[in-house]
Amino acid sequence: MRILIVGGGGREHALAWRLAQSPRVSALLACPGNPGIAQLATCLPQPDSTAAYADLAAAHRIDLTIVGPEAPLVDGIVDRFRQRGLKIVGPTQAAARLEGSKIFAKQFFDRAGIPTAWSVQTGTTAEAVHHLKDFSFPLVIKADGLAAGKGVVIAQNRGEAESAMERLGPALVLEEFLEGEEVSFIGLSNGSLLFRFAPTQDHKRLIDGDHGPNTGGMGAYCDNRILTSAQNDEIMDRIMLPALGQMRKEGTPFTGFLYAGLMMTATGPKVLEFNVRLGDPETQSLMVSYRGDFAELLDLVANGTSPMGEPAWADPSVCVVIAAEGYPDKPATGRVITGISEAERAGAVVFHAGTQLSADGQLVSAGGRVLGITAAGETLEQAQQNAYSAVSKIKMEGAQYRRDIAQKGLRRW
Ligand code: AMP
Ligand code: GLY
């Protein structure tokens, strides 16, 4: 099978790494890829339209395409490929609205009876200000459209709420603040059934102990103990399967990766958001823990066959993100990175995210999240130790990383 990966971050490097190990894969291509992916796949420049992606897939005789980021899905890359008879894993443009519009998603949760935070949706800033009286603080304010992780503000008082409303624009979701443990619940669907991945937990805040600004994700871990089997069943029965059923009922069946960002509250799991793709950095951890043939799984789903059975999950794993100085506001680019082979010798897989090769062939930072150092272990504690001993080998001026990835899990068990 010749596989094309759309994207060029840590998530896509992890997919390439796992797919490269499948005996079914004869060629791997990536658009645009990154220097880490380039060691496993042929990297091609990023096409500028869904039509150009389809031309590229046809020209390179691609058997199956997998899409990492949300933007091409929201732009309709899946519809375009299917019109051209090209196989692709992902949701159609209509189904991708679950992530592309928070207002659509909240109204969808209502129609499907899916538990979520109480909210109101607004179309003007005046309307949003008017609804402030319906909430207490902290209050969660979300911009309607895709915002690359910058569209959610947790306002502690009226002043913060009003300035967030100014900044985020008129189409908003105002929502009650939920307390609990956050879990990333990801599955792969053929439209009716869901192949459930092991639960993961992301660490969105920049600083240890969940302090500092929100980021794209500073690290993740994968461990089956994050959810009990009763909690898994409850999430499948009250959230994931009703979502798939409602999408079918509305004539927009959901195919591809469905990722529920959940809050495990005192009254059960509630959805914070749906993403229509794999998580980053959750995927780095998932791919290191997954033991099945990922290419076979993707192929089954792309053919509409239901992936059956429980997935093969091996040991727990931990991914620690190394971010550039100044991230998330103004990441420093061009910083020289060394120590990758030492980190790999220490037993970790080093996934590239924001890296590039400089004119003189040195690996340098080129984005906010630079690397994802990922390691498995017989226990979560061991995985954490393996990941951090590899992290200590990486040198990059001004590097920022959290020292407590997976600590939440270890404290619980
Ligand atoms: P979202 O993009 O909707 O997942 O929101 C980003 C982050 O904001 C989440 O990962 C949570 O940490 C936080 N968040 C979102 N909605 C809520 C909520 N209703 N209550 C508490 N925290 C929230
Ligand atoms: N890890 C959060 C996300 O992928 O949206």
Side-chain angles (χ1 to χ4, degrees):
M1 237 192 307
R2 296 171 59 80
I3 297 190
L4 171 66
I5 299 172
V6 173
R11 166 182 51 205
E12 291 78 22
H13 188 183
L15 290 169
W17 175 82
R18 175 48 73 205
L19 287 169
Q21 295 168 45
S22 167
R24 285 164 208 268
V25 175
S26 56
L28 265 182
L29 289 85
C31 294
N34 65 36
I37 297 174
Q39 294 168 10
L40 304 163
T42 305
C43 294
L44 301 167
Q46 189 171 334
D48 58 7
S49 66
T50 58
Y53 270 111
D55 290 341
L56 182 147
H60 289 271
R61 304 182 323 282
I62 297 297
D63 298 303
L64 180 64
T65 298
I66 173 172
V67 185
E70 59 279 15
L73 297 167
V74 170
D75 285 348
I77 191 172
V78 169
D79 311 63
R80 177 76 69 174
F81 271 55
R82 289 191 183 151
Q83 282 156 14
R84 298 269 301 263
L86 296 163
K87 264 202 286 182
I88 186 165
V89 175
T92 59
Q93 186 167 38
R97 279 180 300 171
L98 278 179
E99 176 166 358
S101 165
K102 300 251 188 219
I103 292 178
F104 174 84
K106 291 303 281 194
Q107 293 173 348
F108 175 84
F109 299 153
D110 274 351
R111 294 197 295 277
I114 289 174
T116 184
W118 186 81
S119 72
V120 297
Q121 296 102 46
T122 67
T124 64
T125 308
E127 211 184 320
V129 171
H130 171 76
H131 278 292
L132 277 174
K133 63 176 175 26
D134 304 331
F135 291 90
S136 54
F137 292 99
L139 160 67
V140 184
I141 306 174
K142 302 185 175 183
D144 179 45
L146 291 182
K150 296 194 171 64
V152 176
V153 171
I154 298 178
Q156 301 297 337
N157 54 52
R158 193 179 172 99
E160 282 180 24
E162 287 184 4
S163 67
M165 288 167 177
E166 287 295 327
R167 185 172 73 72
L168 296 176
L172 296 172
V173 171
L174 310 186
E175 128 176 337
E176 74 176 305
F177 180 83
L178 298 176
E179 310 244 12
E181 198 72 55
E182 266 186 83
V183 177
S184 302
F185 192 97
I186 303 177
L188 177 57
S189 180
N190 65 349
S192 45
L193 296 166
L194 192 82
F195 181 84
R196 180 177 69 74
F197 289 3
T200 46
Q201 209 168 22
D202 189 9
H203 297 63
K204 289 220 168 82
R205 304 285 215 92
L206 182 68
I207 294 167
D208 288 11
D210 291 339
H211 297 296
N214 255 333
T215 71
M218 293 298 290
Y221 69 98
C222 171
D223 189 313
N224 264 316
R225 291 175 301 174
I226 293 171
L227 295 172
T228 64
S229 78
Q231 285 173 321
N232 267 308
D233 290 349
E234 186 179 9
I235 292 164
M236 286 296 277
D237 295 345
R238 294 188 58 206
I239 294 170
M240 307 306 279
L241 296 177
L244 295 175
Q246 185 69 22
M247 289 301 271
R248 281 199 308 281
K249 199 165 127 194
E250 298 185 4
T252 54
F254 186 94
T255 52
F257 295 100
L258 184 59
Y259 158 172
L262 302 175
M263 190 69 90
M264 303 303 291
T265 73
T267 55
K270 293 192 177 172
V271 181
L272 298 179
E273 62 167 351
F274 269 146
N275 294 316
V276 299
R277 51 168 175 85
L278 284 159
D280 187 337
E282 289 93 328
T283 303
Q284 288 84 316
S285 213
L286 282 170
M287 290 299 111
V288 165
S289 284
Y290 184 69
R291 282 293 175 272
D293 183 336
F294 202 63
E296 179 185 18
L297 180 65
L298 293 178
D299 197 36
L300 279 175
V301 173
N303 289 327
T305 312
S306 81
M308 293 303 289
E310 284 292 302
W313 298 104
D315 297 336
S317 62
V318 174
C319 170
V320 179
V321 169
I322 298 188
E325 185 174 4
Y327 178 70
D329 295 333
K330 277 208 188 86
T333 56
R335 296 281 166 86
V336 175
I337 306 159
T338 57
I340 292 192
S341 17
E342 290 84 343
E344 285 174 341
R345 273 200 297 278
V349 194
V350 177
F351 294 124
H352 291 231
T355 69
Q356 76 181 32
L357 290 174
S358 65
D360 58 358
Q362 277 187 309
L363 188 71
V364 297
S365 66
R369 293 187 292 172
V370 179
L371 298 171
I373 315 299
T374 313
E378 271 180 34
T379 60
L380 183 60
E381 198 162 23
Q382 191 62 55
Q384 189 196 43
Q385 277 168 17
N386 293 345
Y388 278 106
S389 78
V391 166
S392 71
K393 312 286 186 213
I394 303 283
K395 304 290 175 239
M396 179 180 73
E397 189 196 336
Q400 309 187 70
Y401 62 90
R402 280 180 61 159
R403 271 78 176 163
D404 67 344
I405 303 300
Q407 210 55 40
K408 288 185 220 211
L410 291 171
R411 257 200 305 273
R412 246 177 298 142
W413 302 311

